[in-house]
Amino acid sequence: MGLFRRKPRPAAAPPSTPDAAESRDDVFAGGLEAVRPLLIPRLRRADQLPDRQDCVVREIGGGFLAVLGARTPSGLYFLRTGQMHQWGADPAELWSVGLHNLRREPREVTVFQPDAGPVYQVKGGGWTATQLLRAEELIEVTTPHGCVVAMPGENLLVLHPLIDVNSYLRIMELQKMLPRLCGPQGGFSDGLFHWHRGVLAPLRVVEQHDPDGKLVHSIQGGAELAAILRAFGNVPGPPPGRGDSA
């Protein structure tokens, strides 16, 4: 079953930001109040930010970080911890402002298979994957069990809310689609993840043959995901000594 039945949703308006200076020092020289409208997080792989101890970051798991910076027409300038301390700013408040500003970033949401386990494709900007941080706002159903996430490029986010047994099919489809979405270079991330309560946990689809030679698939991830999928499909637990799977 392909993901081709679409229900488009309108794109948000592009952000409007004041003119910015050329250097990082000039961007932050106006003080905290001048920077507030520019604050925005950006999702980065941990290996892309070797000096993360000097930046204002949130560890979200799965090998990814959210980094807080100032968005200007000339680029994103990461906020340094020293600057934050110099302002005497509350980190929680800065993150709240940054996440609010993220809503202004351009995005276009398309819904595939809305009646049989929806998949949401988010596009519209170079940092679209960062919209993961507000995933629950982008979809039309409640997500008590979180979402399955693919981020094949920084400009593309795919979300499937875990709702019912249809999730098995959706996860298999996303796994098959990933190589094509990522391209030959592997993209931003060539894996699938479970996003729940602000934590990103890797998962994978494993193919293997049962004792009768039949090809079977299992979904391996964290204990939380395994419990959710078993509840959906009443799947028995993994054999003793094996990792969490469903």
Side-chain angles (χ1 to χ4, degrees):
M1 185 182 299
L3 304 175
F4 297 112
R5 209 165 95 195
R6 306 187 180 189
K7 181 172 64 171
R9 293 168 61 185
S16 174
T17 55
D19 291 338
E22 294 296 325
S23 72
R24 177 184 289 115
D25 291 341
D26 288 339
V27 169
F28 295 110
L32 178 57
E33 292 308 311
V35 170
R36 281 180 188 273
L38 307 177
L39 286 175
I40 197 165
R42 183 174 183 183
L43 209 64
R44 297 294 295 271
R45 293 198 311 265
D47 60 11
Q48 292 177 316
L49 198 69
D51 60 342
R52 65 177 180 263
Q53 69 276 4
D54 297 324
C55 299
V56 182
V57 303
R58 280 187 175 178
E59 306 267 356
I60 63 173
F64 284 87
L65 308 164
V67 193
L68 196 59
R71 174 84 140 103
T72 78
S74 57
L76 180 74
Y77 296 86
F78 289 146
L79 177 63
R80 303 294 177 175
T81 53
Q83 180 68 74
M84 182 182 67
H85 294 322
Q86 182 180 331
W87 288 336
D90 177 5
E93 182 190 3
L94 297 187
W95 279 105
S96 178
V97 171
L99 289 170
H100 175 78
N101 292 342
L102 183 61
R103 295 186 177 96
R104 300 195 316 241
E105 289 294 290
R107 67 199 179 274
E108 179 179 341
V109 182
T110 303
V111 188
F112 299 91
Q113 300 291 349
D115 301 321
V119 173
Y120 294 77
Q121 175 184 275
V122 188
K123 302 176 72 174
W127 302 350
T128 303
T130 302
Q131 296 286 347
L132 170 70
L133 301 176
R134 49 183 296 266
E136 291 80 1
E137 299 176 34
L138 298 174
I139 59 181
E140 299 172 328
V141 296
T142 56
T143 58
H145 306 300
C147 300
V148 173
V149 176
M151 300 174 291
E154 288 191 86
N155 62 344
L156 177 62
L157 175 66
V158 181
L159 301 167
H160 163 62
L162 290 165
I163 301 172
D164 55 30
V165 72
N166 285 308
S167 294
Y168 289 98
L169 178 58
R170 294 295 164 257
I171 292 171
M172 300 299 177
E173 288 182 327
L174 290 174
Q175 180 70 40
K176 291 177 181 177
M177 291 170 61
L178 265 177
R180 175 170 56 84
L181 294 174
C182 290
Q185 303 304 317
F188 188 47
S189 171
D190 59 2
L192 293 177
F193 302 87
H194 178 212
W195 172 256
H196 195 207
R197 298 192 182 101
V199 177
L200 199 62
L203 67 96
R204 64 190 183 115
V205 178
V206 177
E207 292 185 351
Q208 56 190 3
H209 290 86
D210 66 12
D212 296 327
K214 181 181 177 182
L215 182 65
V216 295
H217 297 81
S218 62
I219 299 170
Q220 296 186 352
E224 182 184 31
L225 177 64
I228 291 167
L229 294 178
R230 286 180 202 134
F232 287 161
N234 195 26
V235 177
R242 300 289 293 275
D244 292 310
S245 63

